[in-house]
Amino acid sequence: MGAYLTVLLCSATRLASATAACLAVCSIAADPRLSAAAQTVTATTGAINGVVTDGTKAVLPGVAVSLSGPALMTSRTVISDETGGYRFSAVPTGDYAVTFELPGFETSVRDGIHVGLGFTATVSVELHAGRVSDTVTVNGSPVVDVSSTRVTTHFDSEKLASLPGARDVFALLANTPGVAMSKMDVGGNNALSLLEYTAYGLRAATGVNRNEVEGIRVGGANGSNDNYLPDFASFSEIAITAVGHTASMPVPGTLGQYVSKSGGNAYHGGIYADFQNEAWEATNIDDDQIARGVAGGPGLDVRDVNRLQQFRDFNADLGGYLRKDKAWWYAAYRSTAVEQQSAWLLDAPGALTAVVGTGKVTYLLSPRQKLVGYVQHQVFEQPSFFAFGASQPIQTSDALPHNRFLATVWKTEYNAAVSDALFVEVRVGSYHADTALTSKSTAPRIADVGANTVSGGTLAFGRIINRPQVNGSLSFQKTGWGGSHTLRIGGEYMLDKVVSPTNGYDNPCNCVSTLNNGVPVQVQILLGPNVSKNNLATSAAFVDDTWRLNRAVTLSLGVRLDRYQPILPDQEGPTGQTFPAIDPVLTFSNWGPRVGMSTDLTGDGKTVLKLQYGRFWVYPAPIFTAAVNPNASGWSQTYLWTSDANANGRWDRGEEGRLIAVSGGSSTTRLDPDISNTSVDQGSAYLEREVAPNVALRTGVVLNARRQPYGTINVSRLLAAYSVPVAIVDPGPDGQLGSADDGGTLNAYNLSAAALSAAPVNLTTNLPDSNSEYYTWEITATKRQTGRWSLLASFTETWSHEAALGTGNDFTPNALINASGTQVRFKTWQAKLNGTVNLPWGLRVVPVMRHQSGQPFARTFVQVLNYGSATIKAEPITASRTPDITLLDVRTEKVFRINTVRLTGFFDVYNLLNTNAEQTLSTSSGGSWLRPTAITGPRILRIGARLDW
């Protein structure tokens, strides 16, 4: 690690020198009266800084600046330096008062200063001559961070408590500018579920996002959206940063940072409960949707298949002190249950329950040293498990497994302000998750890709993730070197250990039969139970320098090294085969620069231009080695299914044809020795202005360019091997050739005879012609909760140029039919508004409006070619689009106060307009063409109450 830090420091110095030379050419000179540098912010804190001057604008050194607030265990005092600057680093989130005192001058107090996670509040004051006993108090807090290039949305505890809906992180993402959800939630009908989403075009399922609970990375083994569903009410703030990251962030997508409540010098607690059942819900499925195939099931009326049968949520928390100003504690409990009908699940609601417990202890070792312990544990049950995001096949609940998921995150943290200019933090912790899915049926597993149906028992498998980790940083401030600097040096180490047991299908053949509109296609036969293991060691180091050249210009210069080492531990196959460890399989050493500039255009801290460029590398995730693991999760053989001789609709022994795929038993897939990790070049430019006290407006553009994606392909079947042209006929929406709706003739390609007879050579490698670009324009308005109202409103538009080629049978020229060269290109947009309006008599109204464009799609059909089945786009992806969706939710609250106790009753209305827009459709030609598989839930009424003391 020391060698990495040395190289990083040298690189940062060279980068800083080059930037300084460039600025000299541009005649930007450092101001000799520099204000304080942008301060140290951590994964759980923000910062406050500023400059003190007198009535003549001359700087005032020697001013005693004191910071106080309920989130501090003890007040802090610093002395302004020779430049008049002062700094408070690593300030816990909350509201503060800053007091300025100097003999011969009146005392000035700035009250109501709000510090958000990762936010640096610049509070500069002008002291006037007078008596010390004279005190001038000014209320108000800056809303523009003039020293950072990050674009962050903050949700504090008050906002979290009042935001209606699912009350999970996906509800926050749904209200975050630049983030588009795959499914739009109505009143929690997707609560406790893992939803796919995109952030400025980047998809969550590609290892680009990161979630941190109290500075500890949580989430799944595949690097996609994190399967961690915490106690929403236990956090003092959740911050989501989607663009403009510094070198402390390894990946380019969303950074979700969760900071727990921490007790205090007084006892505080709360109870929250809400409830709703199907009697408080409308219906909205119409005759057209029924005509297109939406159907009920046993005991389930067709117009009830998208209704939320039940939602209940109970939360309780309590915090206080063991010893005032010395030891604080906090504890919380949450129990949630959801039952949701779905248009594709024919006989039962999708039920989910979660119980979460939280504990935190904060101990002040000395006025400058703190020790923090934290743990959160959850138990999640889902009787009928399904993956969200993609269109679901139509099925009954016995075709879905029962899921039990346990997860725990814990940490021990030490931090210390060694001096006013030096701060250190170290965290040791772990994330552990245990998932077990079990089958509920012994019936044969049958899937029809054309009819979009599945029946029979499902695969029984599991996944255990253990991720011990340590991270930390050292920060110090320095005036000189051509300006004022905040230098942060940090790093982390994680070891992801993933164990994946597979028990197989609980049916006589231990197999899956696949058809296409009733026509046999293939059969996959599992070869027995096994336990697959895949690990990933991650070590990283970074240097960030926030370099304030003068009062107007701040540079953010950084460089990061991420070192990923996938590992295959020693393991056994289903019949005792042994496979020795490979440690490491390879090493990715990825350097990423971060260069940004913030310019205070008007000199008053209210108008800032933010420019940022960074190269980021995708987190490969522990399952990176799954394709090359000889002990694959679920050994299997896949054959063409030539005919259903006895017409029973499922494969029987002897009906199989040629072997087309093998998984397990040997390394059927090789790893390209020259493979490179996938990178994303991200550039952004934002203009932000405080247009009124506590009101900010920003607009900007973001480019995300994804480069060097990797996947597994058969290199004996590269694109040039598909050299035999063949004319295929689009069977039209009904999927039947020779009918009146047949489409035109398309040019497809079969494999050459030589390639068809060649042994498969699967290779995990960088995919050619597979780059993607995403261009986004955004405008956002925010108003902090002051006076009678608050606001977060945004509009974003994204132009996506996505790679059309996939892997496996999707890495063929046939995947490029009806594409734009090697890409599919389309546009999406979204508008969001949420706020609060305080009315007389203790009433508050919380409106939430979300509008999202429909998703473009192409009708597809399955064509059997000489190498197997291929999914063909019958039209360009821009030919069709699911309906646009506009949702309006309203919460109405009434507050009753009894001494220090506050009782809030509330009444929610979700989907006030009762839209029934389809969110996903079956897009394959055949009997299910345009059948809605996810319909926006109908209008819901819900009641609840919150007690705070």
mmCIF file of all heavy atoms in Angstrom, residues 900-919:
data_model
loop_
_atom_site.group_PDB
_atom_site.id
_atom_site.type_symbol
_atom_site.label_atom_id
_atom_site.label_comp_id
_atom_site.label_asym_id
_atom_site.label_seq_id
_atom_site.Cartn_x
_atom_site.Cartn_y
_atom_site.Cartn_z
ATOM 1 N N THR A 900 -43.291 18.569 25.036
ATOM 2 C CA THR A 900 -42.194 18.240 24.109
ATOM 3 C C THR A 900 -42.539 17.086 23.180
ATOM 4 O O THR A 900 -41.690 16.650 22.399
ATOM 5 C CB THR A 900 -40.932 17.873 24.912
ATOM 6 O OG1 THR A 900 -41.204 16.746 25.741
ATOM 7 C CG2 THR A 900 -40.474 19.053 25.755
ATOM 8 N N VAL A 901 -43.756 16.592 23.261
ATOM 9 C CA VAL A 901 -44.175 15.464 22.430
ATOM 10 C C VAL A 901 -44.905 15.992 21.202
ATOM 11 O O VAL A 901 -45.761 16.882 21.307
ATOM 12 C CB VAL A 901 -45.089 14.495 23.214
ATOM 13 C CG1 VAL A 901 -45.582 13.375 22.312
ATOM 14 C CG2 VAL A 901 -44.331 13.929 24.404
ATOM 15 N N ARG A 902 -44.552 15.443 20.041
ATOM 16 C CA ARG A 902 -45.211 15.841 18.802
ATOM 17 C C ARG A 902 -45.864 14.612 18.179
ATOM 18 O O ARG A 902 -45.191 13.625 17.869
ATOM 19 C CB ARG A 902 -44.209 16.450 17.829
ATOM 20 C CG ARG A 902 -44.845 16.985 16.547
ATOM 21 C CD ARG A 902 -43.822 17.646 15.644
ATOM 22 N NE ARG A 902 -42.872 16.668 15.117
ATOM 23 C CZ ARG A 902 -41.942 16.957 14.222
ATOM 24 N NH1 ARG A 902 -41.800 18.201 13.792
ATOM 25 N NH2 ARG A 902 -41.115 16.027 13.800
ATOM 26 N N LEU A 903 -47.178 14.679 17.985
ATOM 27 C CA LEU A 903 -47.924 13.603 17.337
ATOM 28 C C LEU A 903 -48.361 14.093 15.958
ATOM 29 O O LEU A 903 -49.017 15.132 15.844
ATOM 30 C CB LEU A 903 -49.150 13.213 18.160
ATOM 31 C CG LEU A 903 -50.098 12.187 17.511
ATOM 32 C CD1 LEU A 903 -49.392 10.855 17.308
ATOM 33 C CD2 LEU A 903 -51.360 12.016 18.346
ATOM 34 N N THR A 904 -47.967 13.351 14.929
ATOM 35 C CA THR A 904 -48.320 13.706 13.555
ATOM 36 C C THR A 904 -49.182 12.606 12.966
ATOM 37 O O THR A 904 -48.751 11.447 12.879
ATOM 38 C CB THR A 904 -47.055 13.876 12.693
ATOM 39 O OG1 THR A 904 -46.197 14.846 13.283
ATOM 40 C CG2 THR A 904 -47.429 14.310 11.283
ATOM 41 N N GLY A 905 -50.387 12.944 12.607
ATOM 42 C CA GLY A 905 -51.234 12.021 11.860
ATOM 43 C C GLY A 905 -51.170 12.371 10.391
ATOM 44 O O GLY A 905 -51.058 13.548 10.027
ATOM 45 N N PHE A 906 -51.222 11.356 9.520
ATOM 46 C CA PHE A 906 -51.139 11.657 8.085
ATOM 47 C C PHE A 906 -52.067 10.764 7.284
ATOM 48 O O PHE A 906 -52.477 9.678 7.710
ATOM 49 C CB PHE A 906 -49.694 11.562 7.577
ATOM 50 C CG PHE A 906 -49.023 10.228 7.767
ATOM 51 C CD1 PHE A 906 -49.205 9.189 6.864
ATOM 52 C CD2 PHE A 906 -48.179 10.028 8.848
ATOM 53 C CE1 PHE A 906 -48.576 7.973 7.039
ATOM 54 C CE2 PHE A 906 -47.546 8.809 9.031
ATOM 55 C CZ PHE A 906 -47.744 7.775 8.124
ATOM 56 N N PHE A 907 -52.403 11.284 6.126
ATOM 57 C CA PHE A 907 -53.303 10.620 5.195
ATOM 58 C C PHE A 907 -52.685 10.735 3.811
ATOM 59 O O PHE A 907 -52.402 11.837 3.338
ATOM 60 C CB PHE A 907 -54.671 11.314 5.227
ATOM 61 C CG PHE A 907 -55.672 10.742 4.268
ATOM 62 C CD1 PHE A 907 -56.348 9.569 4.557
ATOM 63 C CD2 PHE A 907 -55.948 11.384 3.064
ATOM 64 C CE1 PHE A 907 -57.276 9.048 3.670
ATOM 65 C CE2 PHE A 907 -56.865 10.872 2.177
ATOM 66 C CZ PHE A 907 -57.538 9.700 2.479
ATOM 67 N N ASP A 908 -52.419 9.587 3.179
ATOM 68 C CA ASP A 908 -51.753 9.561 1.870
ATOM 69 C C ASP A 908 -52.722 9.168 0.769
ATOM 70 O O ASP A 908 -53.589 8.302 0.963
ATOM 71 C CB ASP A 908 -50.605 8.543 1.868
ATOM 72 C CG ASP A 908 -49.480 8.902 2.816
ATOM 73 O OD1 ASP A 908 -49.426 10.063 3.258
ATOM 74 O OD2 ASP A 908 -48.665 8.013 3.129
ATOM 75 N N VAL A 909 -52.533 9.795 -0.386
ATOM 76 C CA VAL A 909 -53.225 9.378 -1.615
ATOM 77 C C VAL A 909 -52.148 9.147 -2.666
ATOM 78 O O VAL A 909 -51.384 10.056 -2.999
ATOM 79 C CB VAL A 909 -54.224 10.437 -2.114
ATOM 80 C CG1 VAL A 909 -54.947 9.914 -3.360
ATOM 81 C CG2 VAL A 909 -55.228 10.796 -1.027
ATOM 82 N N TYR A 910 -52.084 7.926 -3.195
ATOM 83 C CA TYR A 910 -51.096 7.569 -4.212
ATOM 84 C C TYR A 910 -51.795 7.383 -5.556
ATOM 85 O O TYR A 910 -52.922 6.885 -5.633
ATOM 86 C CB TYR A 910 -50.383 6.276 -3.831
ATOM 87 C CG TYR A 910 -49.632 6.367 -2.525
ATOM 88 C CD1 TYR A 910 -50.178 5.875 -1.349
ATOM 89 C CD2 TYR A 910 -48.386 6.971 -2.463
ATOM 90 C CE1 TYR A 910 -49.503 5.967 -0.147
ATOM 91 C CE2 TYR A 910 -47.694 7.067 -1.268
ATOM 92 C CZ TYR A 910 -48.261 6.565 -0.108
ATOM 93 O OH TYR A 910 -47.582 6.663 1.081
ATOM 94 N N ASN A 911 -51.087 7.794 -6.618
ATOM 95 C CA ASN A 911 -51.646 7.752 -7.971
ATOM 96 C C ASN A 911 -53.015 8.431 -7.989
ATOM 97 O O ASN A 911 -54.035 7.833 -8.358
ATOM 98 C CB ASN A 911 -51.748 6.312 -8.489
ATOM 99 C CG ASN A 911 -52.058 6.263 -9.985
ATOM 100 O OD1 ASN A 911 -52.094 7.287 -10.672
ATOM 101 N ND2 ASN A 911 -52.301 5.061 -10.485
ATOM 102 N N LEU A 912 -52.995 9.690 -7.587
ATOM 103 C CA LEU A 912 -54.235 10.459 -7.470
ATOM 104 C C LEU A 912 -55.032 10.461 -8.764
ATOM 105 O O LEU A 912 -56.266 10.435 -8.758
ATOM 106 C CB LEU A 912 -53.880 11.895 -7.059
ATOM 107 C CG LEU A 912 -55.045 12.865 -6.836
ATOM 108 C CD1 LEU A 912 -55.879 12.409 -5.644
ATOM 109 C CD2 LEU A 912 -54.510 14.279 -6.595
ATOM 110 N N LEU A 913 -54.345 10.461 -9.917
ATOM 111 C CA LEU A 913 -55.019 10.497 -11.213
ATOM 112 C C LEU A 913 -55.441 9.110 -11.686
ATOM 113 O O LEU A 913 -56.059 8.972 -12.739
ATOM 114 C CB LEU A 913 -54.096 11.145 -12.251
ATOM 115 C CG LEU A 913 -53.572 12.550 -11.902
ATOM 116 C CD1 LEU A 913 -52.637 13.054 -12.993
ATOM 117 C CD2 LEU A 913 -54.719 13.515 -11.677
ATOM 118 N N ASN A 914 -55.064 8.066 -10.939
ATOM 119 C CA ASN A 914 -55.441 6.682 -11.237
ATOM 120 C C ASN A 914 -55.023 6.245 -12.637
ATOM 121 O O ASN A 914 -55.751 5.547 -13.341
ATOM 122 C CB ASN A 914 -56.951 6.464 -11.056
ATOM 123 C CG ASN A 914 -57.282 5.008 -10.765
ATOM 124 O OD1 ASN A 914 -56.485 4.286 -10.173
ATOM 125 N ND2 ASN A 914 -58.449 4.573 -11.214
ATOM 126 N N THR A 915 -53.815 6.637 -13.052
ATOM 127 C CA THR A 915 -53.336 6.196 -14.360
ATOM 128 C C THR A 915 -53.130 4.686 -14.365
ATOM 129 O O THR A 915 -52.783 4.086 -13.347
ATOM 130 C CB THR A 915 -52.016 6.893 -14.722
ATOM 131 O OG1 THR A 915 -51.557 6.427 -15.981
ATOM 132 C CG2 THR A 915 -50.939 6.594 -13.695
ATOM 133 N N ASN A 916 -53.354 4.082 -15.519
ATOM 134 C CA ASN A 916 -53.138 2.635 -15.661
ATOM 135 C C ASN A 916 -52.091 2.354 -16.734
ATOM 136 O O ASN A 916 -52.153 1.322 -17.420
ATOM 137 C CB ASN A 916 -54.449 1.910 -15.983
ATOM 138 C CG ASN A 916 -54.982 2.261 -17.366
ATOM 139 O OD1 ASN A 916 -54.572 3.263 -17.960
ATOM 140 N ND2 ASN A 916 -55.880 1.438 -17.887
ATOM 141 N N ALA A 917 -51.132 3.255 -16.875
ATOM 142 C CA ALA A 917 -50.101 3.078 -17.907
ATOM 143 C C ALA A 917 -49.352 1.763 -17.702
ATOM 144 O O ALA A 917 -48.990 1.405 -16.586
ATOM 145 C CB ALA A 917 -49.123 4.251 -17.865
ATOM 146 N N GLU A 918 -49.105 1.066 -18.818
ATOM 147 C CA GLU A 918 -48.336 -0.178 -18.757
ATOM 148 C C GLU A 918 -46.849 0.168 -18.644
ATOM 149 O O GLU A 918 -46.332 0.959 -19.415
ATOM 150 C CB GLU A 918 -48.585 -1.018 -20.014
ATOM 151 C CG GLU A 918 -50.013 -1.461 -20.183
ATOM 152 C CD GLU A 918 -50.680 -0.883 -21.418
ATOM 153 O OE1 GLU A 918 -49.952 -0.315 -22.261
ATOM 154 O OE2 GLU A 918 -51.916 -0.978 -21.547
ATOM 155 N N GLN A 919 -46.187 -0.476 -17.697
ATOM 156 C CA GLN A 919 -44.765 -0.208 -17.502
ATOM 157 C C GLN A 919 -43.894 -1.218 -18.241
ATOM 158 O O GLN A 919 -42.786 -0.887 -18.650
ATOM 159 C CB GLN A 919 -44.440 -0.195 -16.013
ATOM 160 C CG GLN A 919 -45.239 0.875 -15.264
ATOM 161 C CD GLN A 919 -44.654 1.187 -13.904
ATOM 162 O OE1 GLN A 919 -43.459 1.070 -13.682
ATOM 163 N NE2 GLN A 919 -45.499 1.607 -12.986
#
